[in-house]
Amino acid sequence: PLSGSDTGIGHALAKHLDSLGFVVFAGVLNKDGPGAEELRRTCSQRLSVLQLDVTNATQVNEAYLAVSEKVTNAGLWGVVNNAGILGFPADGELLPMSTYRHCMEVNFFGAVEVSKTFLPLLRKSQGRLVNMSSMAGGIPLQRYAAYGASKAALSMFSGVMRQELSKWGIKVMAIHPSGFRTGIEGTAEQWDRQEKELMENLPADTRQAYGDEYLLGLRNYLLHLPSRCAPDLSPVLGAVLHALLARRPQGLYTPGKGAYIPLCIFCYFPLWFYDYF
């Protein structure tokens, strides 16, 4: 099973795994949406599209029952927790609490719910659990307090589960991609709604401290975000494939240009140097 297959990495990964002959269970937020329709149209009969909102425990359980029915005695080899949301990139002080809660709900609690639900099937096959975290989940990046905190929680969960589940032969991996163009940034309509909520919740003194020019510049940052991201998703797909198939997978993958360098600086240099960098 693979969550978040409507767009971006999840969508590309579902197609890629299907083309390699995998039996793919592509979980989507909207089984009648364009992403789900395209998977049905372009992929083989092996691929099943599952309605899977990871924040909905009923849907997670229904997906588990559907997968259990299909795999029967063959077992389940892998679960890829890919579903995620970015939220409006802004300074941590400016973000409304709803953004923090929503990021944690999807990026962390959703992945934990899926993992816990499917672990009995992975135990049978000594399979793999792959969690799509982020570069922002391993190092502090400005304007990603909510997103980064939720992904850091997911990375820590991955590390602990890697230790705890090893006695059953289950391998757990976290993927920390750098900037890729995935569509996670959302639509202009979503930005408008989040920006409106952000501005309406700002106390007057906070708004004055940051200044209207800076606040309006946040939208500009978001608009230019895709241009700073790599369009080729193949390094991420390759990392997930290695995590699923390698005899000795790495606990942590950092696909993408520059993903490893800031992590090394953060780990091995004084914090003041990392902050300056």
Side-chain angles (χ1 to χ4, degrees):
L2 161 66
S3 64
S5 301
D6 305 72
T7 58
I9 291 171
H11 189 79
L13 188 57
K15 286 181 172 178
H16 186 54
L17 294 175
D18 179 71
S19 72
L20 294 171
F22 281 79
V23 176
V24 179
F25 299 95
V28 294
L29 187 58
N30 180 7
K31 67 177 174 57
D32 300 317
E37 285 301 324
E38 192 184 332
L39 289 176
R40 288 191 195 96
R41 193 178 67 251
T42 59
C43 294
S44 74
Q45 294 298 306
R46 288 187 308 273
L47 183 137
S48 304
V49 174
L50 303 175
Q51 175 60 45
L52 182 58
D53 175 351
V54 296
T55 66
N56 184 321
T58 305
Q59 287 189 17
V60 173
N61 196 50
E62 284 171 356
Y64 169 77
L65 293 173
V67 171
S68 299
E69 201 177 302
K70 286 247 178 125
V71 301
T72 56
N73 295 326
L76 177 70
W77 181 247
V79 171
V80 182
N81 282 308
N82 168 74
I85 56 159
L86 179 65
F88 194 91
D91 301 58
E93 184 184 7
L94 304 175
L95 291 171
M97 286 306 298
S98 59
T99 300
Y100 285 96
R101 291 192 180 97
H102 196 197
C103 279
M104 288 301 289
E105 201 63 46
V106 178
N107 300 346
F108 178 60
F109 293 126
V112 173
E113 179 97 47
V114 170
S115 301
K116 281 166 61 66
T117 302
F118 281 92
L119 273 173
L121 293 180
L122 291 182
R123 189 176 283 112
K124 279 183 188 175
S125 61
Q126 297 189 330
R128 308 282 168 96
L129 175 62
V130 183
N131 293 316
M132 190 65 68
S133 183
S134 166
M135 186 175 173
I139 56 173
L141 294 176
Q142 291 184 66
R143 294 182 177 163
Y144 294 104
Y147 176 75
S150 66
K151 289 297 193 178
L154 179 60
S155 294
M156 184 57 74
F157 172 74
S158 297
V160 174
M161 296 303 274
R162 186 180 67 247
Q163 295 170 349
E164 293 177 351
L165 298 175
S166 63
K167 57 178 168 280
W168 288 289
I170 300 172
K171 291 183 165 60
V172 184
M173 286 68 62
I175 316 278
H176 280 206
S178 61
F180 287 91
R181 208 173 299 168
T182 64
I184 197 175
E185 307 86 34
T187 64
E189 189 184 315
Q190 289 169 323
W191 298 342
D192 287 337
R193 191 172 65 247
Q194 291 182 44
E195 186 178 43
K196 187 168 179 279
E197 188 185 5
L198 184 147
M199 296 300 253
E200 284 174 354
N201 281 282
L202 278 187
D205 56 346
T206 306
R207 186 168 186 154
Q208 190 181 349
Y210 282 84
D212 284 346
E213 190 182 340
Y214 180 80
L215 295 170
L216 292 169
L218 291 173
R219 163 61 75 95
N220 202 37
Y221 170 80
L222 192 52
L223 289 170
H224 287 93
L225 198 56
S227 66
R228 290 196 286 268
C229 295
D232 178 20
L233 298 176
S234 55
V236 189
L237 305 185
V240 175
L241 201 62
H242 191 275
L244 287 171
L245 296 181
R247 178 171 280 192
R248 290 188 179 85
Q250 301 164 27
L252 174 67
Y253 292 82
T254 54
K257 267 187 182 171
Y260 195 65
I261 295 164
L263 184 63
C264 284
I265 291 173
F266 178 68
C267 291
Y268 299 115
F269 284 75
L271 280 180
W272 66 262
F273 184 82
Y274 171 78
D275 290 344
Y276 176 77
F277 168 80

